[in-house]
């Protein structure tokens, strides 16, 4: 019988631990907040007295903690996970932290002869409750296979992204996208409202275009990702329309900060002679600048 240690029973960790219990695993749990521990103990888990104690007797030890400094202390502190982990056990850090720090943790664990996987999660706390998280995993094939049944109690989509650190990297890329899109969403709705448009109407209109459907789902697979730079909508036209939005926003006192931040990408592509190419050719231009292609 696999025993899972779980450390960090907050908004995400508590429902994740509950789903591990529901999945039929035994659970040892630890949190610095005793109330958080009690509620999971009431659901059938055993309380541990420290991260080290939580790791002792566990085959898998999961961390779901606020930041990298706390993860480091919990893994390597005097009463940390490393001091309690059996040789066959696998530690999984599911927290969102800097990938470089994940690399350092993975290296330290390896040096100590212990197994480590990073597996941060996507989607929301509601998905943590329903067991439908997206889990982005970094680690060796063997380690990831060993922990997959436990991960499957918490998520319905498990993506093995590569070696240790790959999960942490995928998570930051994903969050960068959704977090910047949030700011653009604010600006679009604000521009609509200050122009006298009903924001619900604006939402409906944008849901039927690339604005709301997203480039990842629509234009990129149809154009630049298959090497087609023939203009469906040219960079020059997109540049003109971005200028129109910035000009429209001026008298309305709406700051289109992400709009202004996007402009240099268009300027650079036009300066490189790509104004007549499809707007997704912005990616081809950026890849060339990053030295990824000629
Ligand atoms: P949270 O603050 O609700 O929970 C963190 C828990 O860790 C708390 O219960 C806290 O008491 C405990 N803790 C703090 N220090 C500790 C220590 N030294 N030892 C043991 N326990 C300790 O945070 P959360 O929303 O559950 O997020 C956890 C992680 O998941 C974060 O890295 C976050 O970025 C990531 N995440 C959150 C969401 C979300 O929607 N909330 C979504 C995806 C990923």
């Amino acid at each position: 019988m696999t025993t899972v240690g779980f450390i960090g029973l907050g908004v995400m960790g508590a429902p994740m631990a509950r789903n591990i219990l529901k999945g039929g695993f035994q659970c040892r749990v630890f949190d610095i907040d005793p109330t958080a521990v009690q509620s999971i103990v009431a659901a059938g888990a055993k309380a541990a007295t420290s991260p080290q104690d939580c790791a002792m007797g566990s085959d898998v030890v999961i961390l779901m903690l606020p930041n990298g400094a706390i993860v480091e202390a919990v893994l390597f502190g005097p009463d940390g996970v490393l001091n309690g982990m059996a040789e066959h056990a696998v530690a999984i850090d599911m927290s969102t932290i800097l990938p470089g720090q994940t690399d350092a943790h993975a290296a330290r664990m390896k040096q100590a002869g212990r197994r480590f996987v990073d597996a941060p999660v996507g989607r929301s706390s509601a998905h943590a409750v329903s067991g439908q998280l997206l889990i982005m995993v970094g680690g060796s094939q063997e380690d990831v296979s060993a922990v997959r049944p436990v991960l499957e109690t918490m998520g319905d989509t498990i993506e093995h992204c590569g070696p240790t650190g790959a999960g942490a990297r995928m998570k930051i890329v994903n969050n960068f996208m959704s977090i910047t899109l949030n700011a653009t969403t604010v600006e679009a709705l604000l521009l609509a409202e200050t122009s006298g448009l009903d924001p619900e109407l604006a939402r409906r209109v944008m849901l039927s275009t690339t604005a709301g459907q997203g480039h990842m789902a629509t234009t990129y697979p149809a154009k630049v990702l298959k090497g087609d730079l023939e203009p469906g909508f040219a960079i020059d036209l997109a540049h003109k329309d971005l200028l129109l939005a910035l000009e429209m926003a001026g008298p309305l006192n709406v700051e289109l900060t992400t709009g202004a931040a996007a402009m240099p990408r268009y300027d650079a592509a036009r300066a490189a002679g790509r104004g007549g190419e499809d707007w997704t050719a912005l990616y081809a231009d950026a890849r060339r600048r990053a030295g990824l292609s000629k």
Side-chain angles (χ1 to χ4, degrees):
M1 162 63 95
T2 301
T3 298
V4 180
F6 203 109
I7 303 169
L9 305 164
V11 170
M12 298 297 284
M16 289 160 72
R18 281 177 200 280
N19 283 329
I20 292 172
L21 283 166
K22 277 188 208 154
F25 295 99
Q26 291 186 341
C27 232
R28 296 172 61 75
V29 294
F30 178 73
D31 194 294
I32 47 170
D33 174 1
T35 343
V37 172
Q38 275 151 26
S39 85
I40 308 300
V41 166
K46 287 208 173 80
T49 55
S50 68
Q52 178 178 1
D53 181 43
C54 191
M56 284 169 75
S58 292
D59 306 294
V60 173
V61 188
I62 295 175
L63 284 69
M64 192 54 169
L65 295 162
N67 61 51
I70 295 176
V71 170
E72 183 175 350
V74 165
L75 282 175
F76 304 112
D79 61 355
V81 167
L82 181 58
N83 289 332
M85 258 178 94
E87 233 170 86
H88 76 277
V90 185
I92 314 178
D93 183 16
M94 303 190 75
S95 326
T96 303
I97 71 170
L98 195 66
Q101 201 165 9
T102 301
D103 293 344
H105 296 164
R108 256 175 106 170
M109 293 296 269
K110 191 173 180 182
Q111 207 174 17
R114 292 297 181 278
R115 301 164 74 184
F116 178 84
V117 162
D118 51 297
V121 307
R123 303 188 181 141
S124 67
S125 52
H127 294 97
V129 173
S130 63
Q132 292 174 306
L133 290 168
L134 159 71
I135 308 183
M136 294 159 268
V137 193
S140 72
Q141 196 65 53
E142 193 190 351
D143 293 349
V144 175
S145 298
V147 300
R148 190 175 278 273
V150 176
L151 296 179
E152 283 172 348
T153 66
M154 297 178 274
D156 65 5
T157 315
I158 319 289
E159 287 283 359
H160 186 185
C161 302
T164 50
R169 286 177 170 80
M170 188 62 245
K171 169 67 180 169
I172 304 302
V173 169
N174 175 76
N175 279 26
F176 164 72
M177 182 82 181
S178 57
I179 288 166
T180 53
L181 282 176
N182 186 21
T184 304
T185 305
V186 168
E187 292 174 11
L189 290 175
L190 211 56
L191 185 60
E193 249 185 301
T194 54
S195 307
L197 295 165
D198 175 2
E200 183 47 37
L201 162 95
R203 194 181 77 89
R204 195 168 69 241
V205 166
M206 289 186 281
L207 269 178
S208 72
T209 74
T210 305
Q213 291 174 355
H215 283 279
M216 295 285 184
T218 58
T219 59
Y220 273 58
K223 300 297 289 183
V224 67
L225 293 182
K226 60 175 201 192
D228 177 4
L229 302 181
E230 283 301 307
F233 181 46
I235 285 177
D236 279 341
L237 290 178
H239 173 260
K240 175 208 45 147
D241 291 0
L242 181 53
L243 271 179
L244 292 179
L246 292 170
E247 278 186 42
M248 177 171 144
L252 298 170
N253 282 327
V254 176
E255 261 190 278
L256 298 187
T257 54
T258 67
M263 189 57 90
R265 291 259 169 229
Y266 287 91
D267 287 338
R270 295 176 83 224
R274 291 178 174 272
E277 290 180 357
D278 189 71
W279 57 332
T280 61
L282 235 49
Y283 180 47
D285 186 53
R287 288 189 79 243
R288 190 187 55 76
R289 279 165 208 287
L292 295 174
S293 69
K294 281 188 195 159

